[in-house]
Amino acid sequence: MEPTPELSPHHAYPDHWEADVVLRDGGTARIRPITTDDAERLVSFYEQVSDESKYYRFFAPYPRLSDRDVHRFTHHDYVDRVGLAVTIGGEFIGTVRFDRINDQGRPASAPADEAEVAFLVQDAHQGRGVASALLEHIAAVARERGIRRFAAEVLPANNKMIKVFRDAGYTQQRSFEDGSVHLTLDLEPTEKSLAVQRGREQRAEARSVQRLLAPGSVAVIGTGRTPGGVGRTVLRNLLAAGFTGRTYAVNRAFDEGLATLDGVPAHRSLGEIDERIDLAVIAVPAHRVPEAVADCGEHGVQGLVVLSAGYAERGSAGRELQRELVRQARSYGMRIIGPNAFGIINTAESVRLNASLAPESPARGRIGLFTQSGAIGIALLSGLHRRGAGLSSFISAGNRADVSGNDFLQYSFEDQDTDVALLYLESLGNPRKFTRLARRTAAVKPVVVVKGARHSGTNPPGHAVPVSRIPDATVSALMRQAGVIRVDTVTEMVDAGLLLAGQPLPAGPRVAILGNSESLGLLTYDACLAEGLRPRPPRDLTTAASPQDFRDALAEALADGTCDAVIVTAIPWVGENGEAETGDGEVLAAALRGAAAGGPAKPVAVVHVEIGGLAEALSAASSTAAPRTRPTTLAGRPAAAPGAPTGAAPATATAPTGPSTEAPPETAGAAGITEPAGTTETAGTAEPEAAEPSARPGRIPAYPAAERAVRAMAEAVKYAQWRRQAATPGKVPEFLDETTDGPGAAALIDTLLGPAPDPRGRPLTHDEARELLGRYGIPVRPTLPAPDPEAAVAAAARLGYPVALKTTAPHLRHRADLGGVRLDLTDEDALRRAYAEVTELLGKPAELLPVVQSMAPRGVDTVVRASIDAAAGAVLSFGLAGAPSELLGDTAHRLVPATDRDAAELIRSIKAAPVLFGWRGSAPVDTPALEELLLRLSRLVDDHPEVVSVALEPVVVAPQGLTVLGATVRLAPPPPRGDLGPRRLPNY
């Protein structure tokens, strides 16, 4: 909405303040600045507010707004006076405003940095988290306008108002003056306020998905009058699955006399239905979807599944239709799965929802599945069904215009019916948020991801998100850092998911192999070595082994304290007549299940070759969904919430396995909100306790090839190791606080960028880079220019022999192989000869830009980099210097800020890491010094987002100490950090 032209250009309408948000109950609302066109909306809104809320807002009975009030509350300069409104269906449901004041509480302008704030929320919408969302956004607006504190006067009886500020997590002060409570809120974000914001975001987004997956009533809009067609198919699948709620068929073309269709009530529109519909499945042509969405919005539908095609997958015109679809749905507070979706499934016994085109609802299980592709969704459902695996939930998001993989992670995090989350993604949309959510979810249950479109760099059709420039290998490394199990194919995803959902996590990489085929055992052994596992020599039970022999051998292996997992290999038994015996599969499955159930909890996988009925019999084992009232960590201790301090008291034995649904009450704002008790979020997020997949072995996964079983086991081993490490997270050493000069670096950066910095940024000179890096304890060895031989000799005399002569022209930098670097020049004659040779070979000095530098102690040449990606954020990278590492892509990556553990893992993650640790008898280098350098660089780019790229090359790491020989730094105005701002859905 644009303002009337009465505002000056300096105070133009700030459209970047507009945002769609998810409220506490899972519905959506729009937050936007109030304009002069909102007078009627404001009056209508105020008329629907109770007298009590008005009294708390104005400290006196205030039945109606005067014309002067309306003018004051709708005319803002968007600098010193700002008003925001929350709207649903275009109507106000809540407002907030601030007025800048001076030390005496009088109206003021900048540089005054305090403002008086007041909220008002319509009583019908109190308890939905409207006020907390408004506070986040008005605080962000205030910070943008240079306001650092909010002040509010509150009646003593309005305890709920006081809690609004306290629960926000900001630093606050309270005093009692003249019969009212004076509150002051410091708007500088704190660790607690960020935790509160993310906790509210998690609960709201999880609830929005839960409302879609567990509706009390479903209407299929576009149900055909004759069998066949998309709508009629969905209706048939809903009924076949035994949906526990009410189902309605809706089609405006129905005859007026038609009362039922397939045994469910039939209606021409939602307005004819007596109850409110929770979920609408829309299966009409794209040009009729807006009419259907409007009908849903006007009759209170909570969410939509849009199966209709003809949107962004059809080009630019379709993309605009898709954007308009999202805007229209959100204006009514509805979330969307789709368009062009395949549907959703929830197998919970209390729901039994199959609102999809899948003809058969999967069995109930412990795997949650999200896919951005309908075709991949069909393949995954079929593959899981063939292998006897059940699902807890399924979402095929189609074009993923609204509900995304991030929303699914929010839901999976606290869903007690899901033990493993599988996601097929074609983009990450918001990689920073994805890695944050994935890390938290992976701390309590496995997250397995297949990333499609890895090399095309495309986004979902019609979804406007930053395009990441970082290569796919970097994305994979960052996922691993977050605990995500990333695999390359959907087959590998199913393989890993089956093992993780049905078996305990391994305590280590030691694998026992047993079976009745020596050859298959050797193949399994080789595969284990290739995947980095530590297999024991295969135990050959011979082809004469009976099921009882298998049972005894498996029980013995499980009881052996020197193995952490077991892989069983099996081939058919051959009778005396040379034919395979029948019925072996079921008997062997029973034997293996018996051994697994009676032994210690270790993962078991089976590799079989054409044993009929074995895979089916193994998958038919008892459900793995045993309730866990006290989940334990991998070390056997009661699980603590991710991020909890070491040594925190364990949860009690009766602690619930999911987040608490109770919270203190929240009011909506200064002197104006009365929200019900029991609806306010407290600081942070209640974390589900870490639940190991299958405390006792349940379904034993079977694989047709050794490589597939071993790869799944290797992923489980790596994930279990990550879980153990995540239980005691790394930290940033305290010495960095004592040896860094953050304020000095900030002042230097401001000077270098200047008052009007170029948005493209600027590279620093060698001396500027040295000065900035020196502020963070990163010394760079000086270089002196050598435009001619005499200057080179003078530079060497100043630095002291031996020296190096280097060319610094861009096409020759770091290319010693081209002859542009000469080392160990011990005297003037050697330096002059080297200068002559270089200029004769490569060109004139003006083209080569030669420099002289003193020699560093011998060691291993490495490269350390940090860069900021618009989508992923700041990334720290490490590798060995030289063409081989670049050609092989042997570089490791971690997200910033890096901890001591991240730094240690970073240098050990590259394939060439043995070179640093004494490979082939060489002296090990000073890796602690290298880790410290990584931490210092991480701290620099984290403290100062204006530092958009740093390359330290080469960094020579010697047995004692290291030397940074070259550094390039680029500064630019910091890119926006959406992950630190108020919560919001992607804009359209």
Side-chain angles (χ1 to χ4, degrees):
M1 172 179 296
E2 295 296 330
T4 55
E6 125 179 24
L7 296 176
S8 68
H10 179 66
H11 298 158
Y13 179 80
D15 54 8
H16 63 287
W17 293 350
E18 295 182 354
D20 292 314
V21 297
V22 183
L23 300 178
R24 183 186 305 149
D25 61 359
T28 65
R30 181 79 169 168
I31 294 179
R32 64 168 177 83
I34 298 174
T35 75
T36 56
D37 297 328
D38 289 322
E40 292 185 7
R41 294 184 184 88
L42 181 65
V43 171
S44 174
F45 158 73
Y46 193 77
E47 289 174 349
Q48 299 177 64
V49 175
S50 71
D51 290 340
E52 181 184 30
S53 292
K54 293 173 183 176
Y55 184 87
Y56 280 139
R57 171 64 178 84
F58 293 104
F59 288 24
Y62 215 87
R64 63 186 59 85
L65 296 175
S66 66
D67 292 343
R68 182 179 178 182
D69 292 330
V70 173
H71 182 277
R72 182 162 62 97
F73 294 152
T74 56
H75 287 68
H76 305 94
D77 62 10
Y78 302 124
V79 176
D80 300 324
R81 301 184 310 281
V82 174
L84 300 181
V86 181
T87 67
I88 295 179
E91 299 301 319
F92 287 6
I93 66 167
T95 64
V96 63
R97 63 175 280 118
F98 72 68
D99 294 89
R100 194 188 301 256
I101 58 176
N102 58 21
D103 294 341
Q104 290 75 42
R106 308 287 296 176
S109 298
D113 60 359
E114 185 170 334
E116 189 174 34
V117 66
F119 298 71
L120 189 62
V121 173
Q122 203 175 93
D123 292 66
H125 293 276
Q126 293 178 12
R128 301 185 64 197
V130 174
S132 58
L134 275 174
L135 179 55
E136 289 178 19
H137 284 262
I138 198 68
V141 168
R143 289 192 295 268
E144 180 182 327
R145 295 309 194 204
I147 292 171
R148 298 292 174 256
R149 292 181 305 281
F150 275 160
E153 297 292 333
V154 187
L155 291 175
N158 194 358
N159 291 323
K160 296 177 182 179
M161 177 54 227
I162 298 172
K163 287 183 60 60
V164 168
F165 292 109
R166 188 182 70 189
D167 291 346
Y170 294 109
T171 303
Q172 66 160 313
Q173 294 179 345
R174 286 184 290 173
S175 61
F176 187 78
E177 302 173 7
D178 299 327
S180 66
V181 178
H182 180 78
L183 296 170
T184 302
L185 192 71
D186 188 340
L187 299 183
E188 185 66 26
T190 65
E191 183 176 342
K192 183 178 179 182
S193 69
L194 189 60
V196 168
Q197 178 178 312
R198 290 175 173 174
R200 288 171 171 166
E201 172 192 67
Q202 188 276 321
R203 287 187 290 272
E205 292 179 357
R207 173 60 178 157
S208 73
V209 176
Q210 193 269 341
R211 295 205 314 179
L212 292 163
L213 287 172
S217 55
V218 177
V220 182
I221 301 176
T223 308
R225 289 169 290 180
T226 58
V230 174
R232 192 68 175 267
T233 299
V234 172
L235 180 64
R236 180 195 65 202
N237 294 343
L238 276 166
L239 298 176
F243 176 54
T244 58
R246 282 87 56 206
T247 306
Y248 300 90
V250 178
N251 191 329
R252 68 176 185 177
F254 283 159
D255 297 332
E256 292 188 8
L258 182 65
T260 62
L261 184 71
D262 290 345
V264 304
H267 299 278
R268 293 163 57 88
S269 70
L270 292 179
E272 298 178 2
I273 302 175
D274 293 334
E275 70 166 318
R276 190 181 75 174
I277 301 300
D278 295 331
L279 176 69
V281 181
I282 298 180
V284 300
H287 70 273
R288 286 183 48 203
V289 170
E291 176 188 349
V293 173
D295 192 24
C296 292
E298 291 166 3
H299 292 90
V301 173
Q302 294 183 348
L304 306 175
V305 176
V306 181
L307 307 182
S308 311
Y311 287 90
E313 76 278 6
R314 299 288 179 86
S316 58
R319 282 193 292 272
E320 185 53 41
L321 283 177
Q322 183 167 303
R323 293 187 182 102
E324 183 55 39
L325 167 64
V326 175
R327 285 192 289 262
Q328 183 186 15
R330 287 182 180 172
S331 72
Y332 288 109
M334 298 182 292
R335 298 213 69 181
I336 297 177
I337 291 177
N340 195 28
F342 187 71
I344 61 177
I345 297 172
N346 184 351
T347 63
E349 186 62 28
S350 60
V351 181
R352 299 200 299 272
L353 173 74
N354 181 7
S356 78
L357 298 175
E360 184 176 354
S361 185
R364 186 182 180 193
R366 309 292 300 177
I367 296 175
L369 176 60
F370 177 92
T371 171
Q372 286 180 213
S373 163
I376 296 296
I378 295 170
L380 286 168
L381 288 174
S382 176
L384 290 166
H385 176 72
R386 284 196 310 270
R387 298 177 69 175
L391 293 178
S392 57
S393 58
F394 167 76
I395 294 178
S396 172
N399 292 1
R400 204 206 76 173
D402 182 22
V403 173
S404 68
N406 284 348
D407 295 299
F408 185 73
L409 281 177
Q410 300 277 41
Y411 171 77
S412 300
F413 171 68
E414 63 178 30
D415 180 33
Q416 298 183 33
D417 290 333
T418 298
D419 284 345
V420 181
L422 308 184
L423 297 92
Y424 170 78
L425 305 174
E426 291 175 352
S427 82
L428 297 182
N430 186 340
R432 282 174 171 163
K433 182 175 179 180
F434 175 82
T435 53
R436 170 168 57 85
L437 301 185
R439 177 187 290 272
R440 184 190 58 196
T441 304
V444 295
K445 61 187 69 173
V447 177
V448 187
V449 171
V450 172
K451 175 72 167 58
R454 290 182 294 171
H455 304 294
S456 65
T458 60
N459 287 320
H463 201 78
V465 297
V467 177
S468 177
R469 296 184 299 272
I470 58 178
D472 181 69
T474 306
V475 174
S476 183
L478 300 183
M479 284 191 179
R480 291 286 183 187
Q481 183 186 4
V484 173
I485 301 169
R486 182 176 181 183
V487 293
D488 294 328
T489 68
V490 293
T491 300
E492 292 177 355
M493 180 164 70
V494 172
D495 287 345
L498 290 175
L499 180 67
L500 292 163
Q503 295 294 302
L505 291 175
R510 302 169 300 177
V511 179
I513 304 169
L514 61 92
N516 63 350
S517 167
E518 181 180 12
S519 299
L520 190 54
L522 290 174
L523 287 173
T524 305
Y525 181 86
D526 291 342
C528 286
L529 291 176
E531 292 293 337
L533 300 177
R534 291 164 51 191
R536 296 172 55 186
R539 178 178 178 181
D540 182 16
L541 303 180
T542 76
T543 56
S546 67
Q548 184 61 45
D549 294 330
F550 272 88
R551 177 169 184 159
D552 294 341
L554 177 56
E556 183 178 340
L558 291 173
D560 188 345
T562 65
C563 90
D564 305 306
V566 182
I567 297 179
V568 178
T569 63
I571 61 174
W573 285 267
V574 179
E576 294 181 358
N577 59 1
E579 296 182 359
E581 298 183 5
T582 60
D584 294 332
E586 291 81 356
V587 177
L588 178 58
L592 295 177
R593 291 202 309 267
K602 298 178 182 180
V604 178
V606 173
V607 179
H608 70 100
V609 178
E610 298 299 330
I611 298 184
L614 176 61
E616 294 80 1
L618 287 172
S619 67
S622 59
S623 171
T624 64
R628 292 180 289 273
T629 57
R630 193 185 184 189
T632 59
T633 64
L634 299 176
R637 298 184 297 273
T646 305
T652 62
T654 57
T657 58
S660 170
T661 58
E662 296 184 5
E666 172 192 303
T667 149
I673 301 302
T674 54
E675 299 200 9
T679 58
T680 295
E681 305 95 332
T682 56
T685 307
E687 307 276 357
E689 297 192 49
E692 246 184 275
S694 246
R696 300 293 303 174
R699 292 178 170 88
I700 299 177
Y703 302 88
E707 296 78 11
R708 288 173 58 179
V710 170
R711 192 172 297 119
M713 189 67 74
E715 295 294 353
V717 168
K718 287 183 282 189
Y719 169 69
Q721 180 183 14
W722 181 90
R723 277 272 293 267
R724 287 191 292 271
Q725 293 175 344
T728 54
K731 54 188 176 182
V732 177
E734 293 182 0
F735 70 81
L736 293 182
D737 295 322
E738 303 168 357
T739 58
T740 59
D741 180 11
L748 178 60
I749 290 170
D750 288 343
T751 301
L752 294 173
L753 282 177
D758 186 338
R760 297 171 298 179
R762 57 155 292 197
L764 300 190
T765 66
H766 175 75
D767 290 338
E768 290 171 341
R770 284 189 65 225
E771 183 179 0
L772 177 59
L773 293 168
R775 302 279 187 178
Y776 273 73
I778 303 174
V780 180
R781 183 152 293 207
T783 61
L784 296 178
D788 54 55
E790 300 306 322
V793 170
R798 179 178 173 184
L799 296 173
Y801 290 98
V803 297
L805 178 68
K806 303 178 181 181
T807 59
T808 60
H811 66 289
L812 296 173
R813 184 172 294 163
H814 308 308
R815 291 299 307 274
D817 55 311
L818 298 181
V821 177
R822 302 301 171 93
L823 304 176
D824 286 320
L825 306 175
T826 58
D827 54 34
E828 180 178 337
D829 291 341
L831 176 58
R832 289 184 180 275
R833 283 195 303 271
Y835 199 100
E837 292 170 358
V838 168
T839 53
E840 181 180 354
L841 175 66
L842 299 175
K844 298 178 180 180
E847 300 170 349
L848 304 181
L849 305 176
V851 297
V852 174
Q853 190 174 50
S854 61
M855 287 295 297
R858 293 286 183 171
V860 177
D861 289 359
T862 65
V863 181
V864 176
R865 293 190 177 95
S867 61
I868 295 183
D869 179 81
V875 178
L876 186 67
S877 305
F878 171 76
L880 297 190
S885 291
E886 292 185 20
L887 288 172
L888 297 175
D890 190 17
T891 305
H893 312 273
R894 291 294 185 273
L895 283 176
V896 170
T899 66
D900 53 356
R901 175 174 292 162
D902 292 328
E905 292 175 351
L906 192 60
I907 65 176
R908 291 164 175 80
S909 298
I910 60 174
K911 296 181 179 65
V915 173
L916 303 170
F917 295 93
W919 185 60
R920 289 188 172 180
S922 61
V925 301
D926 192 349
T927 52
L930 184 56
E931 293 170 15
E932 180 179 332
L933 174 67
L934 290 165
L935 290 170
R936 290 184 180 278
L937 183 58
S938 169
R939 182 69 174 269
L940 170 65
V941 297
D942 189 45
D943 288 350
H944 307 284
E946 300 89 350
V947 182
V948 295
S949 75
V950 179
L952 308 181
E953 183 178 5
V955 177
V956 182
V957 190
Q960 295 292 328
L962 56 78
T963 308
V964 180
L965 296 182
T968 57
V969 179
R970 187 173 186 83
L971 302 182
R977 288 287 305 270
D979 58 322
L980 296 181
R983 49 194 159 123
R984 62 170 62 209
L985 291 170
N987 282 332
Y988 278 85

